[in-house]
Amino acid sequence: HVIELCAAFSDEAESGTNADRDGFQALVAAAKRHEFDAVIIYDISRGSRDVVDWFSFRKAMKAAGVKVISTTQQLGDITNPSDFLTELITAGLGQHFVLDTRKKSMEGMMERAKKGLYCGGHAPLGYDIQDGHYIIKEKEAEIVRNIFRWYADGDSYRIILERLKGKCGKFGRPFGKNSFNSILSN
């Protein structure tokens, strides 16, 4: 068979656990407009690493009359029990891999957090990061201590905001009422 390439859709650097990717959605929309007869993918995991999303995609392609071809896997007719089971197992293994990796990552992050080590993102107000460890930034830490003390004394966010007039948060922006909730719950 000769296959004529008419379009390419990609979602580089986006998770296959999310079906709301721009390229993926554009592919589904083009298929529904009958712009092509077949979709060629590398493997199931490149389409989706979520079982429900994968089979929703397969059903949408079947409804549009579009054949799904993998360059590395044999895909069959999803209405055939054996073909369906094979794809279900393959898609399930992909989703298992994602869930297992996520679990291990979260466990690693919890261990780092328990040890007081840097876990990524921006350091909270009152801290900086140095060599993978949190270090107290005294000028900011004094503001945080005051916020906790005033709140413990019964001051409202409005009163605390008035007391901090002229002071700024981590990124040089003035404090707002929403700033205190994240500081007090962190």
Side-chain angles (χ1 to χ4, degrees):
H1 293 344
V2 174
I3 298 175
E4 180 184 331
L5 183 63
C6 65
F9 302 89
S10 79
D11 291 302
E12 292 184 36
E14 289 197 50
S15 173
T17 60
N18 175 12
D20 292 329
R21 306 180 318 260
D22 290 340
F24 186 77
Q25 290 302 315
L27 175 133
V28 172
K32 288 178 179 177
R33 292 189 302 269
H34 305 288
E35 293 182 11
F36 42 78
D37 300 319
V39 172
I40 301 172
I41 62 170
Y42 179 73
D43 66 23
I44 289 175
S45 71
R46 301 298 90 205
S48 180
R49 287 195 172 195
D50 180 281
V51 173
V52 172
D53 289 345
W54 173 252
F55 283 104
S56 294
F57 166 71
R58 289 290 270 139
K59 283 180 158 183
M61 294 303 101
K62 185 163 184 64
V66 173
K67 183 173 181 167
V68 180
I69 302 167
S70 169
T71 62
T72 61
Q73 296 165 319
Q74 182 66 40
L75 302 180
D77 176 359
I78 61 168
T79 62
N80 174 302
S82 295
D83 293 345
F84 174 81
L85 182 59
T86 300
E87 280 189 44
L88 177 62
I89 291 168
T90 304
L93 288 171
Q95 186 166 354
H96 176 272
F97 176 78
V98 167
L99 295 172
D100 191 49
T101 301
R102 186 177 298 150
K103 179 182 171 207
K104 289 175 183 174
S105 177
M106 292 304 294
E107 288 170 354
M109 292 288 278
M110 289 300 292
E111 277 305 307
R112 289 186 61 79
K114 286 177 185 175
K115 294 176 182 175
L117 299 174
Y118 177 60
C119 296
H122 299 292
L125 185 67
Y127 293 94
D128 273 338
I129 305 302
Q130 190 173 51
D131 299 323
H133 291 81
Y134 291 99
I135 58 166
I136 295 173
K137 187 171 184 178
E138 196 51 51
K139 188 175 180 180
E140 291 178 2
E142 186 58 33
I143 293 170
V144 173
R145 288 184 200 107
N146 284 333
I147 291 169
F148 270 91
R149 188 175 66 252
W150 295 330
Y151 187 73
D153 288 345
D155 289 349
S156 67
Y157 284 3
R158 184 185 55 76
I159 292 171
I160 295 171
L161 194 58
E162 287 173 14
R163 290 179 178 219
L164 292 172
K165 198 167 221 124
K167 303 240 189 272
C168 293
K170 189 78 176 169
F171 303 105
R173 291 186 294 255
F175 286 99
K177 288 182 182 177
N178 292 338
S179 308
F180 304 134
N181 190 41
S182 63
I183 291 169
L184 292 168
S185 65
N186 189 346

